[in-house]
Amino acid sequence: MQSWSRLIIPVLITCLALLSTAAHSNGPGATAATPPVFSFTAPATEPVIEYSLRHHMLADHDPVPLLRVYGDGRLLVHRPTYMKNAGDFVLQLQQGEIAELIRLLADKGILDFDAIAAKQEQQELRAARRAATGRVFYISDTTDTHIRIRLDKLQRTADSKSLTGFDTQITWRNLEMDARRFPSSAIIQNAAAAAMMLHNLSNHPGLARPP
């Protein structure tokens, strides 16, 4: 594994996410029609990507995110005590792999996520389901999915402004369940696909306990 202590001087990694519509299918409703240009600094004290789950029925919530990806390639996974194979794990990614991961998240609309529009669509879908069935759906064991992306700079398209200090967060209650209930919603399906991508990464077979 690469020695992290050698990465002393911050290196600005500018990544052009190459997107070929012939090679990559965005799926319904994906918003990243053109390749975004973004940059992140390595090393950094704050993660470029965070992913966490909060289960409300658990009395003692562990505040450490399940997954953190840093600009120098460090991927840290923290599995709380209630999870199987609990503990801390690490994996070293290449910076190109981080760029590809961000591009995939962009393909699923995470960098452009409109929480207000998403919630409005969710409410409309719930109301339509109630009107059709006459039933009220309730989940007692609620789970919040949280995704956060931090970038030094982001330019979504060649014609758009370059944003500095980009920081976006998504928190969605019962995202997995909503994805099952509302398969026609592109916003919900893409958000759930992005969350699943990060969750799968938290179970990467190359993860190891730190020495």
Side-chain angles (χ1 to χ4, degrees), residues 45-188:
T45 56
E46 293 182 325
V48 177
I49 301 170
E50 288 183 27
Y51 165 74
S52 59
L53 296 171
R54 180 172 184 181
H55 304 288
H56 286 256
M57 287 194 72
L58 295 176
D60 297 322
H61 169 65
D62 191 330
V64 180
L66 176 62
L67 174 76
R68 288 166 289 169
V69 179
Y70 290 83
D72 60 3
R74 286 176 297 150
L75 185 153
L76 306 183
V77 170
H78 175 77
R79 296 179 186 146
T81 54
Y82 60 82
M83 292 183 69
K84 184 180 179 181
N85 199 19
D88 295 310
F89 300 83
V90 299
L91 178 69
Q92 187 70 24
L93 299 178
Q94 299 297 318
Q95 288 161 349
E97 292 174 320
I98 303 174
E100 176 67 5
L101 179 58
I102 294 171
R103 184 195 65 75
L104 291 171
L105 293 172
D107 286 354
K108 295 303 179 185
I110 298 302
L111 302 186
D112 303 296
F113 191 81
D114 187 336
I116 295 175
K119 289 299 181 184
Q120 181 177 349
E121 181 172 318
Q122 180 197 50
Q123 291 170 2
E124 291 171 354
L125 289 168
R126 286 178 175 176
R129 178 68 64 88
R130 278 197 304 271
T133 65
R135 298 176 182 176
V136 176
F137 187 80
Y138 176 75
I139 302 174
S140 59
D141 184 9
T142 57
T143 299
D144 291 345
T145 298
H146 182 77
I147 300 173
R148 184 172 187 176
I149 310 292
R150 298 183 184 91
L151 299 171
D152 289 347
K153 291 183 180 180
L154 171 66
Q155 186 175 7
R156 292 184 173 90
T157 68
D159 300 325
S160 64
K161 276 187 176 181
S162 179
L163 305 176
T164 302
F166 179 81
D167 187 341
T168 188
Q169 300 185 59
I170 297 173
T171 299
W172 194 280
R173 181 156 296 181
N174 299 321
L175 176 58
E176 183 179 355
M177 182 60 68
D178 277 352
R180 293 177 184 172
R181 295 183 68 212
F182 308 121
S184 63
S185 170
I187 295 177
I188 294 175

Side-chain angles (χ1 to χ4, degrees), residues 20-42:
S20 167
T21 55
H24 299 280
S25 173
N26 290 345
T31 60
T34 57
V37 179
F38 50 86
S39 65
F40 52 88
T41 302

